[in-house]
Each structure stands twice: as structure tokens, then as C-alpha cells.
Amino acid sequence: RLLRLLRSLRTIVVFDPLYLMMTAMRHSFSLIVWSLLVLTLVQMCLAILLQYSLEDYIRNPTNKNTSEVYKFFGSFSRAMLTMFEM
């Protein structure tokens, strides 16, 4: 019986760091979600700003490389993807 008790005590001590890490991850989950939400919101605002500011440049036929600029910032979804890649 004493040997069983020592074995169970040893396994509890071995899993203590794992329990500590899982508890820390569980308690920080809401903070991670809020951080991702704020970062996504900032990224969306910058994508809208860039798309809006480059719209006149893209529509002007005398400018060069408008197709290239449109490829990256022509619509909100393209601008968002470009901002994500940066």
C-alpha cells in the first residue's frame, strides 16, 4: 500500500507543471480573445483608410500601376488581406 501511495504521489508531482500551464492558459483565454478582437478592429480600420485614400489614385487613368495598386488595395477584402500579410 505504501508503494502505491508513493507512486501516486510521484505522478501528481510530475503532472503539477502541466496542471499549472493548463490553468494559466484557461484563465488567459478571454484576454487572448479580446486582444485578437482589438487587433482585428485596428487592422480593419487601417484597411478601410488605405482603400479610401487610394481610391482616387486607382480611378485616375493617367496614373501608372493602377492595376497593381488595385490588386492589393482595390476593395475592402483585398486591403484587409494585404494588411494581414503585412
Side-chain angles (χ1 to χ4, degrees):
R1 266 195 239 170
L2 186 60
L3 189 58
R4 276 191 231 159
L5 180 65
L6 287 175
R7 282 185 190 167
S8 65
L9 190 65
R10 190 178 74 193
T11 57
I12 292 172
V13 171
V14 169
F15 288 121
D16 191 41
L18 178 64
Y19 175 75
L20 183 65
M21 287 191 310
M22 293 303 292
T23 305
M25 286 173 47
R26 192 172 347 137
H27 290 299
S28 67
F29 183 73
S30 64
L31 181 65
I32 292 170
V33 169
W34 278 109
S35 299
L36 286 175
L37 183 71
V38 168
L39 285 174
T40 303
L41 187 65
V42 168
Q43 185 176 349
M44 286 174 63
C45 290
L46 288 175
I48 290 171
L49 180 70
L50 279 171
Q51 193 271 330
Y52 179 73
S53 64
L54 290 172
E55 184 177 0
D56 292 333
Y57 180 82
I58 293 170
R59 289 180 188 255
N60 192 352
T62 60
N63 292 332
K64 294 181 180 180
N65 298 330
T66 56
S67 63
E68 196 72 23
V69 174
Y70 179 78
K71 184 173 128 180
F72 292 112
F73 297 104
S75 65
F76 171 73
S77 58
R78 290 174 189 235
M80 188 72 178
L81 179 64
T82 303
M83 292 300 297
F84 177 73
E85 290 175 349
M86 287 181 172

